[in-house]
Amino acid sequence: MTEPPKILSDPMDAAAGEAAEVLKALSNPGRLRILCALVPGDLTVGELEQALGASQSYVSGQLLRLRNEGLVTCERDGRSMRYRLDDPRVRPLLERVYELFCPAT
């Protein structure tokens, strides 16, 4: 006999679930690199392609996932789309990850 699924009634359970979803999106190296590239400011897909050394289709696919997760947003700038961080909780996370894992230049 299986138990019914546990309903998240405790605010800490809900917060942990939300945090896990954000961290899951950050767990992919390509998505993490895109998000880190957006910390200083908005970028187009082409600029992200150059920064990451990745194909347009890969960058676009990862940006779609990040948009669906609510971590980035975009707006049209002429013929291009400019992307930026959309979730204010992500910037301090990315800054801390950079501080801990990226070598000083």
Side-chain angles (χ1 to χ4, degrees), residues 51-104:
L52 275 66
S55 70
Q56 184 272 332
S57 62
Y58 178 80
V59 172
S60 292
Q62 296 303 323
L63 285 167
L64 177 60
R65 166 86 187 262
L66 292 167
R67 284 178 64 192
N68 289 339
E69 297 284 337
L71 300 179
V72 300
T73 190
C74 65
E75 62 183 48
R76 186 161 296 285
D77 181 19
R79 293 182 52 181
S80 300
M81 298 296 284
R82 295 196 69 76
Y83 286 83
R84 70 175 171 274
L85 297 177
D86 193 37
D87 187 329
R89 302 169 301 177
V90 174
R91 184 179 305 276
L93 283 172
L94 295 170
E95 290 170 346
R96 184 67 174 143
V97 166
Y98 187 87
E99 181 183 310
L100 291 171
F101 292 98
C102 297

Side-chain angles (χ1 to χ4, degrees), residues 8-31:
L8 297 179
S9 59
D10 181 349
M12 186 62 122
D13 286 342
E18 193 173 342
E21 288 302 312
V22 170
L23 293 172
K24 195 183 309 179
L26 297 178
S27 70
N28 174 282
R31 289 192 297 270

